[in-house]
Amino acid sequence: FDLMSYFGVDVLPTYFSRGCINKCIYCTENKFFPGFRSRGGQRVFDEIVHQLSLYPKTQYFRMHDSISNGNIRELEKFCDLLIENKVRIGFNLENAVIRDEMNLNLYRKLKMAGCDIIGYGLENPSKPLLRSLGKTTCSGADFDKVIKEGAQAKITMGINMMFGLPGESESEYKSQLDFIKRHKDNKKYMVINPALNFCYFPQGCDVQNDPSMYGVDLSKGELYWSDKSGSNDFLSRLDKFERFCALADKLGYKNIFEISRQINRHELLGSYYYKAKEYGLALDYFKKSFECEFASMELIDDILALYDKLSLSKNNEYEKFAVRRFNIVNNCREWDNSPKTRQELIKYLSGISIEKAASRFDRSTRLPLLPKPKLSIYFFKKIAKYLILMVFNRNETKKAFYAYTAKNL
């Protein structure tokens, strides 16, 4: 393959296993791969050496599997082979389970072999809750010890959290908040990964196949479900997600999505209230989404349909949405003439002049006059800016900048 056609030309994918050693009721992995199969450490090592012979510029290998540490013995053997043969690469454990074997000795070996990131599917620190969900492999692990020793080995750990799991109590949600409070001293090596869908049940998972067995009402769909009592619904899960993200942000944690609330929050709430048949609230949230989120054709159609459903007068506000829809349709017709193949796109881009952009870059990086020496914050800021702009004004830097920009285009 010509890797220059792909994003991230120095990264290659591989995998350690297929299937999973857990049986989580919200997951479909075991439906695709009914059993767990692990590759040997020698085999994974041989593949990496082979790929490096074909693509010697490769620096990193991503483990694309559902559980990267399902077989600790073979994982450790893989690390030993990398270390003994002095194969210098970086790699990650994309999806890992917190287990007792993930101790300081193994962490140090992983680090020495080139592992820099481990993604842990913790979901919730409550072991009774996790066992009830089918996530049993972590039962014997001391979660706090696993995280502390990972940070001690200076390996970055992604911590996945889900919200409103079936059977989750308020105290079990509080344990999530307590967990990140307790580990704030390890936050340098932790990245919080809050589930944007909180907890949902895709087609094929155990809950979808038998919702009554787990006390779940799926009448509003896989995302907007509720428990039989109605206390665990979409609104409560949204609230838990936002409170958790706010606390993580306050404590200074890195958030993998860099958000404390969904970017389409109003649209999600509009859809929830629509499914709950509270059409007035649905319309209000769809309007808010239109104003400050994404003004898509689908959203406009939903708004216009709600005007009809609620028998509202077609006033100036209605006309605003109707006009916007008309304009979008016309713009779509213009897009019919846009490039449809890679060759057409290259031809189009090659006709675009970057002269104006280059001149703007030149103006923005033009060296200012040096201020007179003076012991002040203003003077040192000016000197710092001058030194930075000196770097950008070097011809080789400008050429590199233009080349990089053209390549991205």
Side-chain angles (χ1 to χ4, degrees), residues 147-332:
I147 297 302
K148 182 179 178 181
E149 292 189 354
Q152 193 175 337
K154 298 183 179 179
I155 291 181
T156 298
M157 295 164 288
I159 309 297
N160 298 1
M161 289 287 189
M162 296 175 70
F163 308 96
L165 290 156
E168 178 184 296
S169 65
E170 186 60 30
S171 64
E172 286 169 328
Y173 168 66
K174 186 175 180 295
S175 72
Q176 293 177 296
L177 304 180
D178 292 339
F179 184 84
I180 58 173
K181 288 177 185 176
R182 201 161 57 245
H183 286 283
K184 63 180 180 180
D185 291 339
N186 301 318
K187 66 187 177 187
K188 181 179 179 181
Y189 297 103
M190 295 173 67
V191 180
I192 298 302
N193 181 9
L196 294 179
N197 290 325
F198 320 141
C199 173
Y200 87 113
F201 305 114
Q203 290 291 332
C205 74
D206 289 348
V207 175
Q208 274 278 359
N209 294 337
D210 191 358
S212 61
M213 179 178 177
Y214 301 100
V216 169
D217 177 3
L218 287 171
S219 60
K220 294 187 181 72
E222 61 188 27
L223 179 61
Y224 299 109
W225 63 274
S226 67
D227 64 2
K228 292 298 183 181
S229 69
S231 59
N232 184 358
D233 62 3
F234 179 78
L235 297 181
S236 68
R237 295 192 292 276
L238 172 67
D239 176 63
K240 288 179 177 181
F241 170 88
E242 292 182 347
R243 280 193 284 148
F244 177 87
C245 289
L247 176 62
D249 183 58
K250 182 180 179 181
L251 293 172
Y253 280 93
K254 294 183 286 288
N255 183 320
I256 195 169
F257 300 112
E258 297 185 350
I259 61 170
S260 57
R261 50 183 282 172
Q262 282 83 349
I263 56 176
N264 62 334
R265 183 180 189 271
H266 295 314
E267 183 187 7
L268 288 170
L269 284 167
S271 297
Y272 167 76
Y273 283 115
Y274 188 90
K275 289 179 179 293
K277 298 183 179 180
E278 296 185 45
Y279 300 121
L281 283 171
L283 180 58
D284 289 341
Y285 277 108
F286 281 150
K287 286 179 182 178
K288 290 178 182 177
S289 178
F290 180 86
E291 295 298 333
C292 57
E293 292 175 351
F294 307 108
S296 66
M297 174 73 86
E298 292 80 6
L299 180 60
I300 294 172
D301 285 341
D302 287 340
I303 291 172
L304 296 177
L306 280 169
Y307 267 90
D308 291 335
K309 186 176 282 291
L310 293 168
S311 302
L312 298 175
S313 61
K314 296 183 179 180
N315 53 19
N316 290 338
E317 190 175 45
Y318 176 92
E319 290 300 323
K320 177 182 72 174
F321 294 117
V323 168
R324 185 62 179 270
R325 188 185 192 285
F326 175 81
N327 290 337
I328 290 175
V329 170
N330 281 345
N331 287 337
C332 287

Side-chain angles (χ1 to χ4, degrees), residues 76-94:
E76 194 163 0
K77 183 176 180 181
F78 170 67
C79 292
D80 288 335
L81 288 166
L82 289 173
I83 295 166
E84 290 167 8
N85 292 277
K86 297 181 180 179
V87 177
R88 309 290 186 190
I89 61 161
F91 69 96
N92 70 343
L93 303 184
E94 190 99 346

